[in-house]
Each structure stands twice: as C-alpha cells, then as structure tokens.
Amino acid sequence: MNKPQKPAPPARSGRFATGAAAEANAYTASVGFDHRLAAQDIAGSIAHARMLHRAGLLTKAECGAIERGLNRIAREIQAGTFRWRPELEDVHMNIEAVLTRRVPAGAKLHTGRSRNEQVTLDTRLWLRDEMCALANELHRLQRALVELGRKYFHVVIPGYTHLQRAQPVLLAHHLLAYVEMLERDYERLLDCLVRVNVCPLGSGAIAGTTLPLDRASVAIELGFVDARHRPMLTQNSMDAVADRDFVVEFCAVAALLAVHESRLCEDLALWSTSEFGFIRIGDAYTTGSSLMPQKKNPDIAELTRGKTGRVIGNLVAVLTMLKGLPLTYNSDMQEDKERLFDTVDTCRASVRILTAMLGHVAVQEDACARAASDPGLLATDLADWLVERGMPFREAHHVVGRLVSVAESKGKPINRLTPAELRKVDKALTGAALRVFDLSHAMKRRHAVGSPGVKEVRRQLDRWHKFLSHES
Ligand code: ARG
C-alpha cells in the first residue's frame, strides 16, 4: 500500500488525488501571519465544543479532552514550542490538526462549523481586544496633551490660518484642539466596536447547519453581548461569512486618527524649527544627522506623519479587495489580515510613542512670547473696538486695514502709531483704542464657549483633566 508521507491536510482529504504543489502551498498559506489569531481561535473552539456538548453532539469526556488538548496547544504557542506548518494553510487548520492527532475527539470539533465563520470570529475577537487597548492608549495621549497645556497654561502663541499669523491663542487651546479630535476618534472607535462585537458562529460555510446548534449561548460565552447582556448574533449566514465591513470601518477610523496624529506631528515639527522655536523635543525623542553635527531632527513626529500613508493605504487596499467580490466568502478576503494587523500595530505604536514624546517637550516661553507680541495679531480686536462704538464691522475692517498699511509704510508696529496718526485714518480712532493691544487683557476678553481666553481654556483644561483622570 502506498502510504502518504504526511497526513493529508484536513481541507484536502478525500476529494484530492494529490497533495498541493509546494509553491501553491507557499503562495496560499496564511499561517505566517494569521498565527496571531491563535488565542482567539482556541477560545472560539472551546466555546464551540462546550456548546456541542450541551447540544448532545459531544460527550462530556470528549468535550473535556478537546478543551484540555486546546489548552495545551495554547501553552505551547505561548512558549514558542508549537510548530506551525505552512502546508496546513492557516491558524485554524494547524491547531485543529495537532489537536486531532493528540485527541481523537478533536475530529468532532469542526461539527457544524466552517473556517469561513471561524476566520471572521477570530478576527472580531482579536480586533475587539485591540480596539479596547487602543481606546485606552488614546485617552493617555489626550492626557499628555492636557498636562502639557496645564504645565504651560499662561503661554500665548499666535494662532495661524494659511500658516500666517492670525490671532493669539493660549498654547493650551491649540493643544486642546487635538484633544477634541482624539475624543471624536475615541467615540468612533467605540461606535465601531458595537458592530465588531457580533458573533458569526452558527453561520456554517455559507448556509448555516442542519445540526441543533445554540448560537446564543456561544455568543454569550465569548462576550458577544450588548450593554444589556443580550447576545449579539449575525442575522444572515451569507452576510456573516462575506462581511468585512467591521474591518473597513476600523481601518477608516484608524485612518482619520492617523491624520489627526499627522497634523499634530506637523505642528510639533514646525514648532521645533529654529524659525518657530516654540518647543524643544528632548534628546531621547530626537535623532541626529550622520553628517551635520548641529542637527537634531524630530524623527518621531516625521515618521508618525509618514506612517499615515500606510494606514490610509491599508483602508484603500481592503476596500479595493472587497469591491468586486461575489457573495459569499472568497479567498481574496484572506488579504484583509495583514492590512488590519498593520493598521492596528501602526496606530497603537504611534499613539504610545507620541504620548511618551509629549512628556519630553519643553515649551520655549520666550520665543512664544516674542511671537505672540506681534500687535498685528490683535488687529481684529481693534475692529471689534470700533464695532462696540457703533461702526459697522465691514467699515471697521476697512479702517483697521488702512491703519495696518499706514503702520507698514511708516515702518513701525501698528500699536506705536501716534494719536494724530490714528485720527488721520478715522476720527473714531482715539488714543484709547491702543489699549486693545494689551495682550494679557486681550486674552481675558475671550469668554464664549470654545474661545481661547484664559477663563474658558482653564475651564476646558479642568474639564478634560477631570474626565481623563477617571479613565484608565
Ligand atoms: N485563511 C482563510 C482566511 O484568512 C480562512 C479560511 C477560509 N476558508 C476557506 N475555505 N479557504 O480568510
């Protein structure tokens, strides 16, 4: 008798006359990356086995043996002694094959189950944990921004539009803008989590099963429940195995988060230049040049900005992979994993490193004060002063514009014009008008919700500080 050299991989038994070509195996195998789903695969299999036992499809002894066998595999994977075999394609079949070799009842584990649902189950379980970790890390990043704002509360810098000096803001206000963005990212993450946390088990390969499976109990055991502890189950077996919306949604949330981080990094990189000089980034979070001895580069900020490209690319890759697929499962979908893993890894790493780096940012108060003392930043305040004295805003805008050009032509700052020079532009402009150029007074006068004034920013900082210290 011609004995095969190796046991046939489970997905090839019976139907196939020959084994797969080595190069076909190498091309199709996903275990090189999907082994990351091993813990989730085992948790899902244990829950499935327990349900099969409750349904009378496994004896107590069989279920116990499967569970012990899976736990042993989990320990071996943890210890790095488990041998992954590419010819067994993926994480699911590697684990099942070793289990079945050791535990005869292992051959019953796949009862009423398909890899098509197993892979989405594992991905959902894995992503759920990663999203929770990322959400906590996001709050830590927000806290680092808030603490930097609190530490340098009185520092005023120019706010910019078109990268031209616009109006003065507290540095803390600028930092809190990012706290707001990140909070929206956080909310989007939690919202997305609701759709990640849905159990596909029981969908079979495409059309469910004829066996008496209890979907709800497995879902509850695996934590697929809503806020009121009701099981969350996919409602259409075809959608369940064909759907990767939750991957797309996560990648989209991550892409926007990456864009926010990127904009923060651009600000930090700009502020750390000799031209701005608003901040110094600690040596531990910068790098030097191999050639120019004086250089100190904001590498972390640059790389975080640069990695936005791959995070956005991953989103586009997954969308493109899905767009032409007929229902239901197609092997193309295996391509989602590396993009998802990379997105998670990149986002979590960048959030963590930015948090650490912000703890090593020293604000250069003198440089900030010099930039913020530009009286042009308060030209709008002067227009408001005229408005308060009855002048229509459009006219006030014009008058102050002329004043700016007079000051420019005389080569002096706008707040150094004499009362006579002011009156010459418009008789409403008395010497008292120049009081608007007192910066600290100006910063006290911005009260409305969301304004960069001292009182309002204090309130916002306190609110965030309190809110974020309640979090993990
Ligand atoms: N490795 C596959 C993936 O990552 C899971 C197996 C899906 N089923 C199949 N018949 N190939 O999507």
Side-chain angles (χ1 to χ4, degrees):
M1 206 167 73
N2 243 346
K3 271 174 84 189
Q5 298 256 271
K6 287 178 189 161
R12 294 187 72 83
S13 62
R15 168 82 172 77
F16 295 83
T18 66
E23 60 187 343
N25 254 333
Y27 190 76
T28 56
S30 58
V31 71
F33 49 86
D34 69 17
H35 67 85
R36 284 186 73 169
L37 302 175
Q40 291 71 22
D41 197 71
I42 288 172
S45 288
I46 290 176
H48 181 66
R50 288 179 181 166
M51 185 275 295
L52 289 177
H53 167 52
R54 288 194 296 277
L57 294 164
L58 281 182
T59 67
K60 191 162 189 240
E62 287 171 330
C63 181
I66 288 175
E67 205 168 319
R68 281 189 300 279
L70 286 170
N71 282 328
R72 182 177 151 203
I73 293 174
R75 284 193 300 275
E76 290 168 359
I77 293 171
Q78 270 247 306
T81 55
F82 187 84
R83 204 166 72 81
W84 296 105
R85 288 169 43 197
E87 67 274 20
L88 292 175
E89 284 185 38
D90 55 24
V91 61
H92 324 293
M93 289 207 292
N94 266 267
I95 291 173
E96 193 191 328
V98 171
L99 175 74
T100 310
R101 207 173 62 218
R102 294 174 181 171
V103 180
K108 293 188 176 182
L109 175 61
H110 217 48
T111 305
R113 188 178 71 166
S114 153
R115 272 188 301 156
N116 296 353
E117 52 182 345
Q118 208 177 343
V119 69
T120 158
L121 171 80
D122 295 0
T123 310
R124 286 171 184 272
L125 285 169
W126 181 85
L127 184 55
R128 187 173 80 179
D129 287 350
E130 295 290 330
M131 286 171 79
C132 292
L134 174 60
N136 287 330
E137 286 159 354
L138 259 185
H139 268 174
R140 265 172 242 140
L141 175 56
Q142 288 175 296
R143 213 182 306 161
L145 288 162
V146 169
E147 291 320 309
L148 192 62
R150 278 159 55 91
K151 185 167 170 194
Y152 294 102
F153 177 68
H154 290 289
V155 172
V156 180
I157 56 170
Y160 295 81
T161 63
H162 312 268
L163 204 50
Q164 307 292 322
R165 284 181 183 168
Q167 292 185 289
V169 293
L170 285 180
L171 172 80
H173 191 62
H174 194 131
L175 297 173
L176 283 175
Y178 287 106
V179 176
E180 295 285 341
M181 292 175 224
L182 296 175
E183 186 62 15
R184 290 195 294 274
D185 293 326
Y186 182 92
E187 286 170 4
R188 268 185 287 270
L189 211 50
L190 294 197
D191 182 54
C192 172
L193 189 55
V194 173
R195 283 174 294 281
V196 172
N197 200 33
V198 182
C199 189
L201 271 189
S203 305
I206 166 169
T209 171
T210 58
L211 297 167
L213 304 190
D214 175 5
R215 294 194 62 199
S217 72
V218 196
I220 291 169
E221 177 155 358
L222 291 170
F224 289 110
V225 291
D226 67 7
R228 288 159 62 188
H229 278 271
R230 289 174 307 195
M232 298 300 290
L233 307 176
T234 53
Q235 298 293 313
N236 179 299
S237 65
M238 293 180 77
D239 179 44
V241 294
D243 167 36
R244 290 295 179 276
D245 289 6
F246 66 99
V247 174
V248 171
E249 267 193 67
F250 172 77
C251 288
V253 171
L256 188 47
L257 162 62
V259 166
H260 292 151
E261 289 181 294
S262 186
R263 295 182 77 173
L264 170 62
C265 287
E266 172 58 14
D267 273 342
L268 294 174
L270 214 52
W271 287 354
S272 72
T273 58
S274 311
E275 284 70 16
F276 274 79
F278 292 177
I279 60 168
R280 273 210 196 118
I281 302 173
D283 285 358
Y285 291 86
T286 51
T287 54
S289 154
S290 58
L291 189 137
M292 298 165 283
Q294 87 286 9
K295 288 295 289 292
K296 196 169 116 171
N297 298 328
D299 267 55
I300 288 175
E302 295 170 76
L303 280 169
T304 305
R305 194 176 58 195
K307 284 175 194 290
T308 310
R310 62 200 280 167
V311 176
I312 293 171
N314 288 341
L315 168 64
V316 176
V318 177
L319 282 169
T320 311
M321 176 274 285
L322 284 171
K323 83 171 188 60
L325 297 187
L327 291 191
T328 53
Y329 180 85
N330 297 269
S331 288
D332 314 46
M333 290 158 78
Q334 181 168 292
E335 286 291 308
D336 67 348
K337 245 125 4 270
E338 285 164 293
R339 306 281 56 88
L340 178 64
F341 294 162
D342 184 63
T343 301
V344 166
D345 293 343
T346 306
C347 280
R348 289 193 57 192
S350 60
V351 169
R352 284 197 301 264
I353 195 81
L354 282 186
T355 307
M357 188 179 81
L358 285 170
H360 290 77
V361 164
V363 173
Q364 305 300 292
E365 303 191 34
D366 289 348
C368 293
R370 233 174 292 124
S373 69
D374 177 349
L377 293 167
L378 292 167
T380 311
D381 289 40
L382 184 57
D384 289 347
W385 185 90
L386 289 167
V387 165
E388 277 171 338
R389 277 145 196 84
M391 189 180 286
F393 179 74
R394 276 291 151 237
E395 197 182 325
H397 184 277
H398 181 78
V399 166
V400 177
R402 278 187 40 226
L403 208 60
V404 169
S405 106
V406 168
E408 229 169 59
S409 68
K410 292 191 186 293
K412 52 181 173 182
I414 181 171
N415 59 339
R416 291 282 147 75
L417 292 171
T418 64
E421 287 166 337
L422 289 175
R423 230 175 302 117
K424 219 169 134 194
V425 173
D426 194 288
K427 62 177 181 343
L429 282 169
T430 63
L434 293 181
R435 263 188 247 137
V436 301
F437 291 105
D438 176 342
L439 183 61
S440 76
H441 181 63
M443 296 315 291
K444 286 191 190 118
R445 295 197 63 215
R446 289 152 155 84
H447 297 308
V449 173
S451 293
V454 175
K455 228 167 132 188
E456 174 60 6
V457 174
R458 176 91 273 166
R459 190 181 73 80
Q460 296 278 0
L461 279 173
D462 289 349
R463 177 173 75 84
W464 280 114
H465 177 72
K466 214 164 125 197
F467 173 68
L468 294 169
S469 53
H470 284 311
E471 302 290 312
S472 66

